[in-house]
Amino acid sequence: EGGDVLSFLQKSDHLSFAEAVEKLASRTGVELRYVDGGAAINRQQGQRTRLVEAHKVAAAFYVEQLAGEEAVIGRDFLTGRGFDAEAAAHFGVGYAPKSWDVLTSHLRKKGFTEAELLAGGLVSQGNRGVYDRFRGRLVWPIRDLGGDVIGFGARKLFDDDDGPKYLNTPESPIYKKSQVLYGIDLSRREISKSQQAVIVEGYTDVMACHLAGLTTAVATCGTAFGTEHIKVLRRLLMDDDQMKGNVIFTFDGDAAGQKAALRAFEEDQRFVTQTYVAVEPTGLDPCDLRLQHGDAAVRSLIERRVPLFEFAIKSTLAGYDLESAEGRVAALRDAAPVVGKIRDTALRPEYTRRLAGWLGMDVETVAKAV
């Protein structure tokens, strides 16, 4: 049975065998003893446990700080976006004080070394030593599939903060941004159960979707959706190597979002045929949509989804005057390669016919272009 559990942890949480052993040991109260020999490997095995524990302590510290006087600006930010104290607690939202070293001091008192804090990205290196990476910001804990905090996403609140609007944990031994999906710890069971994953763009969008009843929502963390993210979802949506569910992207309708989705799925077209896009016509993201029109509007957005290829083709056509012959020919020239990328031999002819209908052209002409 132990072997089965270890195998499950390796697959579900993206862990090496050694990391899975450590995680299982920590959960069951078993003390591991690292034997002599292979010291570098032993240190690496122990490092993950230490870094995860440091992030756990930091997350609890940030949550405590959100209740303080200085954090009123953070609480107002949340309230202004429709999130009460209960919502903040559910997602573990916290506050990083403006101080340069308050978290560093707290973690040192807990027994963590400067080297560990640097390795985990909790502090940054300056000319005069290390200092807290996140200062004067709202902080969201980012967890892995198993629920361990492995990093943070932080939004600036003060006008004198000259840093980026959102600052994330840097790459570390436990945080790989190309594989991380915010909210996956809260969503994984419902994603598997309902066989649906909703991809949104930010932390507050995930919160809004979950509070609106869409508990399959996740978001990337400071990077575009890519093939590594697909691998995470595959483990929740595939059964016997067959794609059983669907993935729904919410975009603001821009070309960059469209290209990102197409690029991500070009390598795995088993996902493409069951990938959808949901775009709010007014351009509101899920957070603002919920704030202005309520939970039902968020659910309705997802219900109105359209297949990814339909979205991509129609987005391409939108840039042309289809009332003129010149516009239709130019649109065909631009849209045909999109249809041509469809590897599904049954789907490509269907979209060829649909493209002909949208252009008002005969199918043979469109088929030749495709």
Side-chain angles (χ1 to χ4, degrees):
E1 289 184 13
D4 292 339
V5 174
L6 287 173
S7 178
F8 173 77
L9 283 174
Q10 284 181 263
K11 292 179 180 178
S12 66
D13 293 4
H14 297 272
L15 304 178
S16 67
F17 177 78
E19 290 172 337
V21 170
E22 280 194 325
K23 189 161 190 174
L24 183 60
S26 67
R27 286 183 176 179
T28 56
V30 174
E31 183 177 351
L32 294 177
R33 190 188 320 160
Y34 296 101
V35 298
D36 292 335
I41 295 176
N42 292 339
R43 284 198 301 271
Q44 186 178 17
Q45 291 170 356
Q47 184 184 48
R48 184 183 194 280
T49 297
R50 290 289 293 172
L51 296 187
V52 166
E53 183 61 26
H55 279 76
K56 179 181 178 180
V57 173
F61 174 81
Y62 288 140
V63 168
E64 289 178 6
Q65 298 303 306
L66 186 61
E69 186 177 340
E70 183 188 311
V72 64
I73 187 173
R75 297 193 297 274
D76 288 346
F77 175 93
L78 291 169
T79 302
R81 281 156 180 76
F83 307 124
D84 58 16
E86 185 179 349
H90 178 67
F91 290 92
V93 184
Y95 174 75
K98 297 185 80 172
S99 166
W100 287 82
D101 63 354
V102 64
L103 177 68
T104 304
S105 298
H106 179 72
L107 290 172
R108 278 175 171 160
K109 289 176 183 176
K110 295 289 186 179
F112 295 99
T113 67
E114 186 175 290
E116 287 172 331
L117 303 186
L118 277 168
L122 291 164
V123 301
S124 299
Q125 180 70 58
N127 294 330
R128 300 181 180 180
V130 300
Y131 58 92
D132 294 357
R133 178 175 176 82
F134 305 115
R135 304 178 308 282
R137 289 172 174 258
L138 264 184
V139 179
W140 282 263
I142 300 168
R143 299 183 176 94
D144 61 15
L145 275 164
D148 287 333
V149 179
I150 55 173
F152 296 95
R155 190 196 192 282
K156 75 174 183 179
L157 298 168
F158 296 95
D159 293 335
D160 60 356
D161 185 339
D162 58 0
K165 184 176 180 180
Y166 281 94
L167 182 65
N168 287 79
T169 292
E171 291 282 303
S172 81
I174 62 172
Y175 184 86
K176 311 295 182 186
K177 66 182 180 181
S178 65
Q179 301 171 4
V180 172
L181 288 168
Y182 173 71
I184 195 69
D185 57 306
L186 297 173
S187 302
R188 59 175 298 169
R189 286 185 177 84
E190 189 59 32
I191 289 175
S192 294
K193 180 181 175 182
S194 66
Q195 290 294 284
Q196 177 194 89
V198 176
I199 315 298
V200 296
E201 294 190 333
Y203 307 114
T204 57
D205 292 326
V206 170
M207 292 177 72
C209 284
H210 279 241
L211 294 174
L214 291 169
T215 54
T216 60
V218 294
T220 58
C221 301
T223 186
F225 189 90
T227 53
E228 290 300 309
H229 295 119
I230 292 177
K231 293 178 183 177
V232 176
L233 292 179
R234 280 176 68 92
R235 296 184 173 178
L236 302 176
L237 293 172
M238 298 288 282
D239 184 20
D240 295 329
D241 204 35
Q242 294 296 313
M243 178 66 177
K244 299 295 185 182
N246 57 67
V247 178
I248 304 166
F249 283 88
T250 62
F251 298 140
D252 58 10
D254 65 1
Q258 169 196 332
K259 289 179 180 177
L262 286 170
R263 184 172 60 249
F265 286 99
E266 278 180 355
E267 295 180 17
D268 193 339
Q269 291 223 348
R270 282 175 293 182
F271 267 67
V272 172
T273 56
Q274 287 169 266
T275 302
Y276 299 81
V277 175
V279 177
E280 170 56 36
T282 60
L284 295 176
D285 59 33
C287 181
D288 288 334
L289 186 61
R290 175 176 178 264
L291 194 60
Q292 295 185 27
H293 302 291
D295 293 348
V298 178
R299 294 192 296 269
S300 178
L301 166 66
I302 303 305
E303 290 167 1
R304 296 196 310 268
R305 62 187 180 270
V306 297
L308 172 64
F309 278 123
E310 177 180 330
F311 170 79
I313 295 166
K314 285 189 172 180
S315 295
T316 302
L317 300 182
Y320 295 92
D321 174 17
L322 301 183
E323 296 299 316
S324 70
E326 291 81 4
R328 289 194 295 274
V329 170
L332 173 61
R333 191 175 297 124
D334 204 4
V338 179
V339 180
K341 287 180 181 178
I342 303 176
R343 296 177 199 165
D344 189 316
T345 55
L347 203 57
R348 192 188 307 140
E350 176 61 25
Y351 271 104
T352 298
R353 287 189 290 272
R354 297 188 74 181
L355 176 57
W358 292 330
L359 288 170
M361 303 174 74
D362 64 83
V363 177
E364 289 75 13
T365 300
V366 174
K368 286 180 181 178
V370 169

